[in-house]
């Protein structure tokens, strides 16, 4: 099936990046959000990010103008009904996602493919509440979308081969690389990465090393571009904890138990960069380790 138009639900951190890469690849993009402010912010961010690519000689002025011109926004979700592909990138709450699909369904063409960018919700469960579980997939982009090369394609138990093949081609068209995952908790990247970050927090909790020595060990000893605690702060410690809980609940294995120190930091509101403090204090010019 040929995809030409893409509807994006949610104009937040992920939605604006997804709109950016699809528009640059030549797709018509229609983006919606419950917040008009979020849509306005998304458009100005896309403009700035395209401008940065222009200044870095990655795209030409006309590519920038054409891409920007291909993105439209609407406050009305059902306007997305005529799109060939829907990418849901709204807030990570299952009830919100169910409601979005429920509202959209009566307005969709029969062949439209539905996808969700969810990091942790079961694709099979989201799909089962729609009229087209065979045309439903997980389409998991990494943050920041214009920069990160990988896209995880997650097959629900009912996803058909045609839908999967179509999305493989779409990923190629937007110049990214896909990794295919079956629908189990946290898919591939987060299944491996987040327990590693959790283990780094245990290493800190048990006093094996300080924040500095743990991060330095993984940067210089394992060639990680960022230390695991620094990375946890970047992702958001609340997000890391939520993913550990999904793994713990979904796989029922004690090896996924969230570190009590991670829980304590989240309880304190020390969520990492976004709250100004996590394993580092971000109030000054350079981040200072807190333990
Ligand atoms: P965000 O909070 O930045 O943006 C979510 C947007 O959804 C907000 O602008 C909000 O107003 C909007 N929204 C809420 N309810 C809506 C509705 N009913 N209709 C339309 N819009 C609605 O969140 P985000 O980080 O962009 O995450 C979005 C999705 O992407 C989540 O499912 C998340 O798990 C997933 N994801 C996030 C990351 C990441 O690093 N942030 C990475 C991969 C996947």
């Amino acid at each position: 099936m040929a995809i030409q138009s893409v509807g994006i639900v949610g104009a937040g951190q992920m939605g604006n990046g997804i709109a950016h890469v699809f528009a640059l690849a030549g797709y018509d993009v229609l983006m919606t959000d419950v917040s008009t402010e979020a849509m306005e912010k998304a458009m100005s961010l896309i403009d700035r990010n395209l401008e940065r690519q222009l200044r870095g000689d990655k795209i030409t002025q006309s590519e920038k103008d054409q891409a920007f011109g291909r993105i439209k926004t609407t406050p009305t979700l059902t306007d997305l009904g005529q799109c060939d592909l829907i990418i849901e990138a709204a807030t990570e709450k299952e009830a919100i996602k169910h409601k979005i699909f429920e509202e959209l369904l009566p307005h969709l063409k029969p062949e439209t493919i539905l996808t969700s960018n969810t990091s942790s919700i079961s694709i099979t469960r989201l799909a089962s509440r729609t009229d087209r579980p065979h045309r439903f997939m997980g389409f998991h982009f990494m943050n920041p979308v214009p920069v990160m090369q990988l896209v995880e394609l997650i097959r629900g138990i009912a996803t058909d081969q045609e839908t999967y093949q179509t999305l493989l081609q779409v990923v190629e068209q937007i110049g990214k690389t896909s990794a295919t995952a079956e629908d189990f908790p946290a898919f591939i990247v987060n299944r491996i990465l987040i327990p590693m970050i959790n283990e780094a927090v245990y290493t800190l909790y048990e006093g094996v090393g300080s924040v500095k020595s743990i991060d330095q060990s993984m940067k210089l000893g394992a060639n990680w571009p960022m230390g695991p605690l620094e990375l946890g702060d970047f992702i958001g410690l609340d997000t890391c904890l939520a993913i550990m809980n999904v793994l713990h609940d979904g796989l029922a294995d004690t090896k996924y138990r969230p570190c009590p120190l991670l829980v304590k930091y989240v309880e304190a509101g020390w969520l990492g960069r976004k709250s100004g403090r996590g394993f580092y204090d971000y109030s000054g010019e350079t981040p200072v380790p807190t333990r």
Side-chain angles (χ1 to χ4, degrees):
M1 184 200 164
I3 305 287
Q4 281 167 353
S5 53
V6 180
I8 299 172
V9 187
Q13 214 174 341
M14 298 304 288
N16 86 73
I18 296 169
H20 175 137
V21 299
F22 274 85
L24 257 188
Y27 293 94
D28 293 321
V29 174
L30 185 58
M31 183 163 59
T32 188
D33 200 291
V34 281
S35 148
T36 15
E37 197 197 330
M39 285 190 284
E40 281 160 16
K41 264 171 73 181
M43 291 308 287
S44 72
L45 198 59
I46 293 169
D47 190 34
R48 271 201 315 244
N49 288 339
L50 285 167
E51 185 64 34
R52 188 174 312 130
Q53 285 178 306
L54 173 65
R55 273 187 274 118
D57 281 334
K58 300 228 163 65
I59 57 172
T60 64
Q61 182 69 49
S62 104
E63 282 168 337
K64 179 191 172 218
D65 295 343
Q66 283 182 28
F68 198 71
R70 283 190 202 105
I71 307 174
K72 305 274 179 296
T73 59
T74 172
T76 314
L77 174 67
T78 51
D79 286 350
L80 272 59
Q82 285 312 302
C83 295
D84 304 323
L85 168 67
I86 301 287
I87 304 172
E88 175 279 310
T91 310
E92 186 74 342
K93 292 228 164 71
E94 191 161 342
I96 291 182
K97 296 188 189 288
H98 283 312
K99 194 164 165 281
I100 288 169
F101 290 124
E102 200 177 293
E103 247 182 84
L104 255 180
L105 286 178
H107 303 270
L108 294 178
K109 301 186 286 186
E111 65 272 25
T112 294
I113 293 178
L114 291 178
T115 67
S116 173
N117 184 46
T118 179
S119 302
S120 62
I121 301 168
S122 159
I123 298 303
T124 303
R125 203 163 61 231
L126 287 175
S128 73
R129 300 270 293 262
T130 72
D131 61 353
R132 60 194 74 197
H134 56 297
R135 286 190 183 279
F136 196 108
M137 272 193 75
F139 206 0
H140 190 220
F141 289 84
M142 310 290 132
N143 186 25
V145 184
V147 177
M148 301 296 278
Q149 187 57 30
L150 184 79
V151 183
E152 282 181 307
L153 286 181
I154 302 110
R155 278 194 286 230
I157 203 161
T159 306
D160 69 17
Q161 192 61 15
E162 192 192 349
T163 302
Y164 172 58
Q165 289 295 340
T166 304
L167 284 194
L168 277 179
Q169 282 167 18
V170 169
V171 173
E172 206 170 293
Q173 184 76 29
I174 59 174
K176 300 218 179 274
T177 306
S178 62
T180 304
E182 297 303 321
D183 182 26
F184 289 99
F187 318 132
I188 296 175
V189 173
N190 286 336
R191 165 83 176 256
I192 298 171
L193 179 64
I194 304 296
M196 284 172 87
I197 291 173
N198 190 53
E199 196 58 31
V201 185
Y202 267 113
T203 313
L204 180 69
Y205 175 63
E206 290 169 9
V208 182
S210 64
V211 168
K212 185 174 173 215
S213 60
I214 291 167
D215 276 352
Q216 207 161 54
S217 296
M218 293 310 288
K219 282 198 281 195
L220 304 182
N223 243 356
W224 282 35
M226 271 172 127
L229 299 171
E230 209 183 343
L231 184 56
D233 275 2
F234 180 77
I235 294 170
L237 300 180
D238 51 341
T239 304
C240 294
L241 176 60
I243 296 172
M244 283 312 296
N245 282 327
V246 164
L247 286 167
H248 198 219
D249 296 344
L251 298 165
D253 189 328
T254 54
K255 77 177 176 183
Y256 297 114
R257 65 198 189 285
C259 177
L261 187 64
L262 177 63
V263 176
K264 198 60 72 198
Y265 267 56
V266 174
E267 282 174 351
W270 297 347
L271 308 181
R273 273 186 184 272
K274 63 182 168 191
S275 70
R277 186 192 167 110
F279 293 110
Y280 292 82
D281 181 337
Y282 298 94
S283 54
E285 211 145 86
T286 46
V288 180
T290 55
R291 272 170 192 262

